[in-house]
Amino acid sequence: MKKLLTMMTVLCLLFALRVPVFAAETPYIADHADLLTAEEEASLSLMMAEAALELDCGVYLATVESYLFYDTTPQKAAEALYIEQTMQGNVPRDGILLMLSMIERDYSLITYGEYAEAVFTDDVMWDMEDHFLHYFGQNEWYYGFSYYISDAISALVDFNMAAQEQYGDAYNGYYDPGVPEVVVRVNSIEPEIWLAVIGGSVAVAVIVCLVMKAGMRTARKATHADAYIPRGGVELRIKQDLFTHTTTRVIHHPKSNSSGGSSGGGGFRGHSGKF
Amino acid sequence: MAVQVTNYTCPACTAPLQFSAETGKLQCEYCMSSFTVEEIELHYGEANAKAAEATPDAHAQTMYDELWGEDADKMRFYSCPACGAELICDETTAATSCPYCSNPTVVPGQFAGVRRPDYVIPFKLTKDDAMEALKNHCKGKVLLPKAFRTEHHVQEIKGVYVPFWLFDGEADADVKYTATRSTSIHRGDDEIITTHHYAIHRAGTVQFHGIPVDGSTKMPDEYMDAIEPYDYDELKPFAMAYLPGFLADKFDVDANKSFLRAQERIRNSAYDAMRDTVGFYETLIPISSHADISCGDTRYALMPVWMLNTKYKGKDYLFAVNGQTGKAVGALPVSWGRFWAWFAGISVGLASLASLLLLYM
């Protein structure tokens, strides 16, 4: 009885303290392909939880047997997993996710949200890929994931430090989902835009007021007599629609510069490839 | 002296009779008797015929010519058959009331012979209805000075039968247009727009029935146009018994002159009717248009209008209410204080909203 009570007390304490041995339940890692041991998952989860807390950006990882169980392309499957993981609550909305699909040996590295997109540019993501693909090529999953997470954290720290340097007190420290997005532009609106805002508001006010003023005078001379045409009062004797000629115009729309990434739907952006 | 005017008094008690918009009959306010239009027409038929034939008193006319000078030409002088008072009216006045004994007075001579209207639409709105229509007209006008709502004298509204010419007409219109339709496809970085061009021709006749044009110079044309349309289903053959209790004028703009105003309306509507027979094109530009307009039947009718002329801060403001449908039109004064207050409110509000969106976008 005593032993049983002791065991139960320990279990309760473990649940209460959320010991990393249960980190398999965290939203940061979804290891459906069972590439990691429990200890490895716990260790990685701790790093990811710290990034979420300190840097307000989610760093997520997912492994699957095949991306085809989720969607038709690796990137779309990664987006679906991202939504699934971030819906578990109490995690940052913006973030980065790495997905490995084991049967096809496809990976997808995606970001979600303007903050994550600003941090994880194409160059940053390519550098991260260079690091972890080296290990994945040798089936070194834990090391590959560790480098992925530490590279992601480094990129976030570098970004925040650069923003702090540039904006000083105007920068609010860390990205907060409650604060309006795009922190880098919080105080920067060009004078021309202010002028356009004021000019536009004044123009709308003038139009509205003139329309109200016109409504004060309702007596106007009639210019038409449509109401006095009886039913069947219009008889056509000539009704001709003749095609005469065709003209063709070509407008050239030059493509804007692409950084090489592909845009997903609904705020996602990412890269895919083979490992 | 021959009497040129007729007082409509109650056959039962000789009190003044008035046409009631509510009942469509002539009502005596004193003994509450009511009479149909036909009964009163029969009763006063002989009196009206005599009054129409009566000639003005030459001696009296000379006296007024000396008193009034040139203005006397535009005036008519009558004697009230009930109280003998002098009635001084405009040359076009056909119905009024004696300012002394308040008896409704009709001048049958104004409707004699070719001047007799073909139709009349009797008043359907009472004075109270018209006052209500005017009050509703002022509602929702945010630029209206508050003082105007309380200061203008709605009670002085008067019912007037306005002379109208109703024209039937036909327009033979011939219009040519150029039109285009386009399609667009994308090939790589290029957008290829293909435009098909057409020559459109429409010609035909458009009939018009009963275009109203007011035949009185006293009535502002824009007001009479704005209170249209009237429901011609309620046109009645003219009878003087509809007039007691209201003012009425005979026409002083003849049919030929009035038709010139109708012509412009006919032309514009004929072109619109041709345009409406063209199907959908992205652009449709008229390149030539012509319409031959001919006048058909012309009828002379009296239409009911409630009129109010009011003064506010030394300026005149006129209102008209269609005495059949209740449509009200008029010129309302603008409070410039309210105008600028609304302008400031809208511009500051919009600028603030746009700024918030820009800052937090």
Side-chain angles (χ1 to χ4, degrees):
Chain A
M1 187 65 179
K2 239 182 170 178
K3 266 189 184 173
L4 184 63
L5 275 171
T6 312
M7 239 172 61
M8 280 179 70
T9 309
V10 166
L11 279 169
C12 286
L13 277 171
L14 285 173
F15 273 113
L17 294 173
R18 295 192 187 118
V19 170
V21 69
F22 291 108
E25 301 296 322
T26 71
Y28 304 110
I29 300 179
D31 184 22
H32 300 294
D34 285 326
L35 300 180
L36 298 167
T37 64
E39 289 75 22
E40 286 171 342
E41 231 181 271
S43 158
L44 294 175
S45 290
L46 205 61
M47 289 164 68
M48 288 156 140
E50 274 190 35
L53 185 66
E54 298 293 332
L55 298 163
D56 220 1
C57 183
V59 181
Y60 304 102
L61 173 64
T63 66
V64 298
E65 290 297 336
S66 169
Y67 68 85
L68 291 170
F69 293 142
Y70 296 87
D71 215 310
T72 51
T73 65
Q75 184 158 337
K76 283 184 184 173
E79 289 170 12
L81 284 161
Y82 187 98
I83 292 167
E84 197 180 290
Q85 282 177 247
T86 54
M87 271 178 71
Q88 291 183 39
N90 209 27
V91 292
R93 186 177 57 94
D94 285 35
I96 183 169
L97 177 138
L98 171 65
M99 182 201 76
L100 298 189
S101 178
M102 301 315 294
I103 292 174
E104 299 86 0
R105 289 193 80 91
D106 276 324
Y107 78 91
S108 184
L109 182 65
I110 61 166
T111 62
Y112 178 79
E114 290 200 27
Y115 175 42
E117 196 177 315
V119 174
F120 300 106
T121 60
D122 282 327
D123 288 338
V124 167
M125 287 168 83
W126 284 325
D127 286 342
M128 288 170 71
E129 285 166 14
D130 284 343
H131 270 155
F132 60 65
L133 285 175
H134 172 73
Y135 290 97
F136 293 156
Q138 296 165 26
N139 293 350
E140 295 280 357
W141 312 119
Y142 177 74
Y143 288 114
F145 295 144
S146 298
Y147 270 105
Y148 155 66
I149 294 164
S150 61
D151 284 347
I153 291 173
S154 298
L156 285 162
V157 168
D158 289 344
F159 178 86
N160 278 277
M161 281 175 62
Q164 184 80 51
E165 256 182 53
Q166 185 173 1
Y167 295 101
D169 288 341
Y171 184 57
N172 66 3
Y174 293 111
Y175 185 72
D176 178 355
V179 169
E181 297 169 4
V182 192
V183 174
V184 291
R185 293 213 307 265
V186 72
N187 278 334
S188 171
I189 299 177
E190 284 78 21
E192 294 83 11
I193 295 181
W194 285 116
L195 275 173
V197 163
I198 292 166
S201 306
V202 166
V204 168
V206 164
I207 290 168
V208 168
C209 288
L210 287 178
V211 166
M212 288 199 295
K213 185 171 175 290
M216 302 293 277
R217 196 173 186 87
T218 49
R220 288 183 181 84
K221 268 196 184 172
T223 55
H224 289 69
D226 296 352
Y228 303 99
I229 301 175
R231 190 170 286 189
V234 180
E235 241 179 74
L236 280 182
R237 64 170 184 280
I238 299 175
K239 185 177 180 181
Q240 265 178 18
D241 290 41
L242 294 175
F243 169 75
T244 55
H245 64 284
T246 298
T247 56
T248 305
R249 199 157 59 105
V250 178
I251 302 171
H252 182 69
H253 300 287
K255 267 191 199 146
S256 55
N257 271 336
S258 168
S259 61
S262 68
S263 291
F268 287 104
R269 205 177 146 274
H271 300 174
S272 301
K274 296 279 187 192
F275 61 87
Chain B
M1 184 172 70
V3 176
Q4 293 177 276
V5 299
T6 306
N7 282 151
Y8 278 72
T9 54
C10 175
C13 69
T14 71
L17 272 180
Q18 297 208 354
F19 180 82
S20 165
E22 251 171 324
T23 62
K25 291 182 176 178
L26 285 105
Q27 213 79 34
C28 175
E29 288 175 10
Y30 288 87
C31 69
M32 308 312 287
S33 302
S34 69
F35 305 90
T36 64
V37 165
E38 292 76 22
E39 284 169 345
I40 295 299
E41 276 292 284
L42 202 63
H43 186 77
Y44 282 98
E46 196 180 325
N48 285 340
K50 280 187 180 162
E53 287 167 9
T55 52
D57 184 338
H59 173 70
Q61 190 68 43
T62 307
M63 188 178 74
Y64 286 119
D65 285 346
E66 286 168 7
L67 271 173
W68 296 81
E70 280 178 8
D71 290 342
D73 289 341
K74 295 181 183 155
M75 315 286 276
R76 294 291 179 269
F77 310 96
Y78 307 108
S79 178
C80 175
C83 67
E86 213 87 70
L87 299 176
I88 303 171
C89 303
D90 194 83
E91 61 180 339
T92 58
T93 300
T96 184
S97 60
C98 177
Y100 297 95
C101 65
S102 299
N103 270 306
T105 307
V106 176
V107 186
Q110 299 286 40
F111 298 128
V114 296
R115 297 189 296 270
R116 183 181 174 82
D118 299 305
Y119 299 102
V120 62
I121 291 183
F123 270 87
K124 207 170 172 186
L125 251 66
T126 63
K127 188 172 180 178
D128 288 339
D129 295 336
M131 281 160 53
E132 194 59 34
L134 274 180
K135 281 181 187 155
N136 289 336
H137 181 66
C138 293
K139 275 187 191 162
K141 301 285 193 294
V142 296
L143 299 184
L144 186 67
K146 203 172 173 180
F148 184 82
R149 288 177 214 269
T150 49
E151 284 178 18
H152 79 278
H153 309 292
V154 176
Q155 293 77 12
E156 292 169 15
I157 195 170
K158 292 194 182 343
V160 182
Y161 278 105
V162 178
F164 272 83
W165 296 104
L166 305 181
F167 295 106
D168 290 352
E170 186 180 278
D172 194 298
D174 192 313
V175 192
K176 290 181 178 138
Y177 310 86
T178 60
T180 62
R181 274 194 198 127
S182 299
T183 54
S184 162
I185 57 168
H186 290 263
R187 273 207 198 121
D189 290 348
D190 293 336
E191 182 185 1
I192 301 164
I193 300 170
T194 307
T195 304
H196 304 290
H197 297 259
Y198 300 86
I200 311 292
H201 187 194
R202 294 287 183 275
T205 55
V206 185
Q207 306 283 342
F208 295 86
H209 176 71
I211 301 172
V213 179
D214 82 271
S216 171
T217 53
K218 283 196 273 186
M219 295 297 163
D221 293 342
E222 63 269 21
Y223 281 78
M224 295 303 106
D225 287 352
I227 59 172
E228 285 176 29
Y230 286 92
D231 180 2
Y232 292 159
D233 288 343
E234 294 185 6
L235 274 173
K236 303 262 192 278
F238 176 73
M240 275 182 263
Y242 288 109
L243 306 186
F246 301 102
L247 303 173
D249 286 327
K250 75 170 175 69
F251 70 86
D252 59 357
V253 181
D254 64 27
N256 292 331
K257 269 192 193 157
S258 296
F259 186 67
L260 294 175
R261 279 188 51 217
Q263 264 187 341
E264 201 50 45
R265 295 175 68 175
I266 289 172
R267 181 172 289 108
N268 291 336
S269 285
Y271 290 153
D272 280 0
M274 294 295 112
R275 168 69 183 85
D276 290 342
T277 64
V278 180
F280 174 74
Y281 290 93
E282 282 162 17
T283 67
L284 184 70
I285 300 165
I287 50 173
S288 76
S289 52
H290 176 75
D292 288 322
I293 296 166
S294 54
C295 182
D297 278 350
T298 303
R299 286 152 292 162
Y300 173 32
L302 296 184
M303 306 294 205
V305 182
W306 287 99
M307 303 285 296
L308 172 67
N309 197 327
T310 190
K311 253 186 165 48
Y312 176 73
K313 289 195 175 174
K315 274 189 171 174
D316 285 320
Y317 294 93
L318 182 64
F319 300 93
V321 180
N322 185 315
Q324 182 194 35
T325 64
K327 184 177 177 187
V329 299
L332 291 165
V334 172
S335 162
W336 286 104
R338 286 179 174 227
F339 180 93
W340 292 116
W342 273 90
F343 171 80
I346 292 169
S347 47
V348 167
L350 277 178
S352 306
L353 187 65
S355 305
L356 281 172
L357 287 171
L358 276 176
L359 282 172
Y360 295 112
M361 235 166 51

